[in-house]
Amino acid sequence: MARKRKGDSVSVLGVVLVGLVALVASVPVEVWLFVGGVVLAFFAYRYFKAKPSSEPPETQPMPQSKATPRPRARALKSSDMDEPVSVTSTAAASPSTATSEYRLPAAPKGFGNATWLGAGQPVNVAGFSIPGGLIYVGTRLKTPSGDNDPCLIDPSLSVSKSGDYTERQMGYWPSYGAISSSARGAYLKWLAGGRQDPSADIGYVFLFFYGLERRAILDASSDAAARAEWPVIAEELRRLLDIYGQKSGSFRRYAVELLNWVSTVEHPERLYEKAVPSFPRSLELPLYVRHALGIAAVDGVPVPAGLALAWARLEPSVVLRTPAIRCPEQFDALFVQKYEQQFGAGMVLPRNRTKLKLVYRPASAGFRGYNDLRLTFGEVPDVSVLTGPVKKLQDLVDATSKELESYSRFVGKSVTGKNSLEGLLQLPPTLWPEQAQKALQQLKARIGEGMVAMPFQDLLNALGATTAFTKDKTLSLARTLESANVGFEPDVLAGAKTPKPEEKVVLFALPPSEQLSRTNGPYLAAALTLQLASAVATSDGEFGIKEMGHLRETVLSWTHLTPGQKRRLLAHLRLLMQAPASLTALKKKFEPLELNVKETIAAFMATVAQSDGEVSPGEVKMLEKVYKALGVDSKKVFSDVHAVAAGTKPTAAAVAKVEESSFKLDPARIAALQKDTEKVSALLANIFTDTDEPAVAVAEPVEAETEAEPSEASAGLLGLDEAHTSLARMMLSRPEWSRAELLDVAADLDLMLDGALEHINEAAFEAHDMALFEGEDPVTVNTEILDKVKA
């Protein structure tokens, strides 16, 4: 055999080495790492097995083939994330068994099954301190598909500190595990900031919402602790809706649906009796409201006002106008008032055939695989399908809004002045705030069933006015007072001149529920009679207490007037006593009229004056003065008076008889003449309309001119005249009086009791801001005023 050459051997060896190198290079690195690990483990095993024990065999811990299992998941605390897990093994061979502790490396933060953090439970994730709770933290929270739930915050995933939650960084179905590290950082930053920045992208809000959804529905289906959190979740949903509900219609729809679930899944009987929780207005009436209405229909009970208000506000088919949105408190209060006025205890709903139910549509992809998420309510109907009740609600909403239009416009221009008197005058007094209502009630208590005279500025001060009071404001004040059954003289609503701050006004009690007419002929003629009488009496110096009393009795005897008209005339008379009408001004208004028109007015006033069927000599004397002021022959008084009774001119004997005593008239004839009032009403209307522009009160309250307070020696008690001072002193002598007793006292003093009592009380109010007495029969003297009056 031929011998190999040395060069051939070297070549073969090189080829072999190159092949080995290539073979080694082709083996993956992971294989070599595995092999290395096996080799190291083998040598370590041989080393520890061969090493002799330093302890006696009977006390040496038994070797363990594998580590002790970890404890089950529990609620996480922020401190738990950084503490190492301690595993302890204890031998049981003898009483002297020793305990050894093996410390393993710390587990990753939040490693293991997810833990739900309740409201307010803090946690630290990737350096972000999250204070609010209501999130799942961990590495495992499986869904039916086998994936982790999208809401799960996995602390083992990378997080970028530079994430911006105002930017859109996620798709339509976001998942914490699938989004970028930058988006995860943005989400944790939004959570750490309290979940409240309105500029946050709605995707982060949805990511948080997924956790609430899972907790409220899936966990609560088998966990009582989760069900106990429904109110907390409901409150959080309302908070989120307030911040993000208008930003995303999709979020609003899903959040309202979950709010429906947690608010209705468990409910008490007679749900309609409970206060309705807050719900945002959405595309459908909230389930809670529909459920309460349905139970009311089943029970056959009226729908309470509070529930009806919630229905009106939340029913998507009901149109809410600006006042309902701009002035919610006033709208709600007025709606309830009108609802109770119209429906009493409430509407009774029919029991319709459509049954109530909720089929839940989850927002989270983690619900895929869960079917039939629904709530049913037995035979409870869904009354939201009915159109009749909704139409009634819409009509009520429109009526309420219309009444609030002027106030709404005022608030739209001056938000800060909504509680000023100027603003409140645009509202019914029943809607005023407590302090303003208290001031009005004090004023009404001061008036009682009578009347009170005071400077106009004092009235404004009592009601809290702080700004200039123009003609329009005064008209609003008069309308507001009248709605509270308080009359205002001068009658600016009928065209009277607006009073100046220092001028007197008279407030008087109006009968409730009476529609006061200021435009019919009899009332206008009666008012003109009083004006002319005061003007004539002032001109000849005869307008004193007796004449005032006579005019008062005359007004009370006019049976063709309503109680409200009589009270207004008496208040007008009181004002005329303070400031009598100007005869010159009245004559000026009559000058443009034709003589036949003047005679028509005069004849009608004669009819009114004796409308009680009797004419006294005093009334004839008053009519003569009125005729003369009108420019009509005063002798026509007799012919006009007798024309009512017989349609013929009076004889001299008849005239003499009238001058000596009263005579009876034909009631049928009187009634016939009083029916024809339209012409007279038109003629008199212009007499009571003051075309002069009223003076405007200054912006700052003007101190009214005060009359010098006379001493008791010169002017009597409380500034009263002698007769009224005597009556007041007599009343102060004991705490209580019967009406019969006071009638006797008044008769002795030649006073009309009712007028005298009103006058005394007004004087007491002006002097000490309190009444001297209260009540009608018996009359009780106010003991608090005793020391002040006697001082």
Side-chain angles (χ1 to χ4, degrees):
M1 184 172 66
R3 185 179 180 184
K4 293 183 180 180
R5 291 180 298 176
K6 182 178 180 181
D8 294 337
S9 300
V10 173
S11 299
V12 172
L13 181 59
V15 171
V16 172
L17 289 175
V18 171
L20 289 174
V21 171
L23 179 62
V24 171
S26 65
V27 177
V29 175
E30 289 82 357
V31 174
W32 290 113
L33 293 175
F34 175 76
V35 173
V38 171
V39 172
L40 289 175
F42 173 76
F43 282 109
Y45 171 74
R46 293 297 300 271
Y47 172 78
F48 284 111
K49 185 176 182 182
K51 183 178 179 181
S53 174
S54 60
E55 297 183 11
E58 63 272 19
T59 62
Q60 183 178 355
M62 296 178 62
Q64 299 184 12
S65 59
K66 54 184 178 179
T68 303
R70 294 187 62 211
R72 297 182 64 183
R74 59 185 175 84
L76 295 178
K77 299 180 181 178
S78 58
S79 58
D80 290 341
M81 297 301 183
D82 298 315
E83 291 183 359
V85 177
S86 176
V87 182
T88 303
S89 175
T90 304
S94 70
S96 59
T97 300
T99 300
S100 297
E101 185 178 86
Y102 298 91
R103 299 187 65 82
L104 302 180
K109 297 179 180 180
F111 183 85
N113 291 331
T115 298
W116 168 258
L117 301 180
Q121 187 173 354
V123 67
N124 190 292
V125 179
F128 290 95
S129 179
I130 302 172
L134 300 181
I135 53 177
Y136 291 93
V137 179
T139 56
R140 289 191 299 274
L141 186 62
K142 299 303 180 183
T143 66
S145 65
D147 299 325
N148 271 337
D149 195 288
C151 72
L152 177 63
I153 297 177
D154 185 348
S156 68
L157 299 177
S158 62
V159 174
S160 172
K161 300 289 186 180
S162 60
D164 184 356
Y165 56 69
T166 64
E167 296 180 355
R168 174 70 53 93
Q169 303 184 58
M170 299 178 289
Y172 188 78
W173 298 94
S175 170
Y176 184 87
I179 59 179
S180 66
S181 62
S182 176
R184 283 194 287 269
Y187 178 53
L188 296 179
K189 186 184 297 184
W190 177 72
L191 292 176
R195 312 184 293 266
Q196 60 187 0
D197 191 338
S199 64
D201 179 70
I202 200 64
Y204 300 108
V205 184
F206 264 112
L207 201 55
F208 174 73
F209 173 78
Y210 295 162
L212 299 179
E213 196 174 42
R214 181 183 178 104
R215 183 66 173 174
I217 297 178
L218 299 184
D219 287 4
S221 65
S222 59
D223 187 351
R227 291 193 292 275
E229 290 182 293
W230 277 333
V232 175
I233 293 174
E235 190 60 33
E236 178 65 12
L237 288 171
R238 292 186 178 96
R239 191 186 70 87
L240 292 174
L241 281 165
D242 286 342
I243 302 173
Y244 304 104
Q246 297 302 317
K247 185 173 185 176
S248 169
S250 177
F251 173 73
R252 182 170 64 251
R253 182 176 68 256
Y254 282 114
V256 169
E257 195 86 340
L258 183 57
L259 185 58
N260 275 330
W261 183 287
V262 298
S263 301
T264 317
V265 63
E266 286 188 351
H267 56 274
E269 294 182 356
R270 297 190 295 277
L271 187 61
Y272 48 80
E273 295 179 351
K274 308 298 179 182
V276 180
S278 172
F279 288 94
R281 187 177 171 92
S282 63
L283 298 179
E284 63 180 355
L285 187 64
L287 181 71
Y288 183 100
V289 178
R290 287 184 283 151
H291 193 194
L293 293 170
I295 296 176
V298 170
D299 292 351
V301 300
V303 177
L307 180 56
L309 172 63
W311 187 4
R313 276 204 167 275
L314 299 172
E315 170 61 51
S317 61
V318 169
V319 179
L320 296 178
R321 294 164 55 192
T322 302
I325 300 169
R326 183 182 286 162
C327 319
E329 295 179 7
Q330 291 78 14
F331 176 89
D332 291 355
L334 186 57
F335 179 93
V336 169
Q337 292 176 16
K338 288 184 173 296
Y339 179 82
E340 292 175 344
Q341 290 171 4
Q342 183 171 344
F343 299 107
M347 289 190 293
V348 178
L349 302 175
R351 187 171 178 175
N352 56 301
R353 298 176 63 178
T354 304
K355 300 299 181 287
L356 184 67
K357 67 178 179 180
L358 169 65
V359 178
Y360 188 77
R361 298 159 295 181
S364 173
F367 276 75
R368 292 171 184 167
Y370 293 100
N371 299 319
D372 200 28
L373 297 173
R374 67 177 58 203
L375 297 175
T376 57
F377 305 93
E379 295 300 311
V380 176
D382 188 346
V383 299
S384 64
V385 302
L386 301 174
T387 58
V390 173
K391 186 180 184 305
K392 294 178 181 178
L393 290 176
Q394 182 68 71
D395 292 342
L396 203 56
V397 165
D398 291 343
T400 304
S401 298
K402 185 173 181 59
E403 195 164 333
L404 290 175
E405 280 179 348
S406 58
Y407 180 74
S408 176
R409 286 192 294 269
F410 178 85
V411 172
K413 297 176 182 177
S414 175
V415 178
T416 57
K418 64 180 182 179
N419 287 329
S420 66
L421 180 60
E422 183 180 11
L424 297 181
L425 289 178
Q426 315 300 321
L427 291 172
T430 54
L431 301 183
W432 287 11
E434 182 178 355
Q435 189 63 29
Q437 285 203 38
K438 183 178 179 181
L440 180 60
Q441 291 305 318
Q442 289 175 342
L443 183 64
K444 292 183 69 173
R446 179 175 174 182
I447 297 169
E449 292 299 318
M451 63 183 71
V452 171
M454 65 177 70
F456 185 39
Q457 187 62 55
D458 286 359
L459 172 62
L460 299 180
N461 293 341
L463 295 176
T466 58
T467 60
F469 239 70
T470 61
K471 178 180 180 180
D472 288 342
K473 294 178 186 178
T474 305
L475 292 173
S476 296
L477 175 60
R479 277 191 291 266
T480 299
L481 290 174
E482 198 162 291
S483 69
N485 298 319
V486 175
F488 181 92
E489 277 288 335
D491 194 357
V492 292
L493 296 177
K497 187 177 179 180
T498 303
K500 295 179 180 179
E502 66 275 7
E503 291 177 343
K504 287 288 184 71
V505 297
V506 177
L507 305 178
F508 58 97
L510 279 173
S513 69
E514 180 184 322
Q515 190 68 29
L516 182 61
S517 174
R518 301 177 170 87
T519 59
N520 65 352
Y523 172 78
L524 293 176
L528 183 58
T529 301
L530 295 182
Q531 288 194 8
L532 286 169
S534 68
V536 171
T538 303
S539 65
D540 61 15
E542 295 182 8
F543 196 37
I545 295 293
K546 290 184 178 180
E547 196 154 8
M548 176 79 170
H550 168 70
L551 290 175
R552 177 186 176 86
E553 292 298 327
T554 300
V555 170
L556 292 176
S557 71
W558 287 339
T559 57
H560 63 292
L561 299 177
T562 66
Q565 289 175 329
K566 290 181 182 180
R567 292 195 181 191
R568 180 169 288 282
L569 286 174
L570 291 176
H572 188 57
L573 182 61
R574 174 67 185 276
L575 196 63
L576 290 172
M577 191 171 184
Q578 299 286 335
S582 167
L583 186 59
T584 303
L586 287 173
K587 284 182 176 180
K588 239 183 205 183
K589 289 187 176 183
F590 286 118
E591 281 178 0
L593 301 180
E594 299 291 337
L595 181 59
N596 64 331
V597 174
K598 296 178 182 179
E599 290 177 342
T600 300
I601 294 175
F604 191 78
M605 292 175 67
T607 303
V608 171
Q610 45 75 49
S611 61
D612 58 346
E614 187 173 341
V615 181
S616 67
E619 287 173 321
V620 172
K621 184 178 180 181
M622 180 186 69
L623 284 173
E624 287 179 335
K625 293 180 179 180
V626 169
Y627 272 49
K628 185 176 180 181
L630 283 171
V632 178
D633 186 358
S634 60
K635 295 180 180 179
K636 289 181 65 66
V637 169
F638 300 102
S639 61
D640 289 343
V641 167
H642 279 275
V644 176
T648 58
K649 293 184 179 180
T651 63
V655 170
K657 182 177 181 181
V658 169
E659 293 174 345
E660 294 176 1
S661 62
S662 62
F663 59 90
K664 301 294 182 181
L665 301 170
D666 181 8
R669 179 62 176 164
I670 295 173
L673 289 175
Q674 289 181 350
K675 283 182 180 179
D676 188 18
T677 63
E678 291 185 6
K679 182 178 179 181
V680 177
S681 299
L683 295 174
L684 294 175
N686 292 331
I687 304 301
F688 292 92
T689 301
D690 201 317
T691 56
D692 296 336
E693 189 67 25
V696 177
V698 295
E700 295 182 0
V702 177
E703 186 174 351
E705 295 180 6
T706 55
E707 301 174 359
E709 184 173 347
S711 63
E712 284 192 21
S714 60
L717 191 68
L718 301 173
L720 297 168
D721 58 37
E722 183 178 356
H724 287 86
T725 295
S726 298
L727 177 58
R729 288 191 185 280
M730 182 63 69
M731 293 180 68
L732 289 172
S733 66
R734 60 169 117 147
E736 187 175 281
W737 293 80
S738 70
R739 181 170 178 81
E741 291 172 329
L742 289 176
L743 281 170
D744 290 340
V745 175
D748 290 340
L749 294 171
D750 198 19
L751 293 174
M752 294 180 351
L753 180 61
D754 290 333
L757 293 179
E758 288 177 8
H759 189 45
I760 292 173
N761 248 359
E762 288 168 11
F765 266 116
E766 289 183 5
H768 304 292
D769 200 26
M770 63 177 64
L772 188 141
F773 62 87
E774 297 175 347
E776 294 182 355
D777 193 7
V779 175
T780 304
V781 176
N782 183 3
T783 55
E784 294 183 11
I785 205 173
L786 286 174
D787 293 336
K788 296 182 178 181
V789 170
K790 291 181 178 179

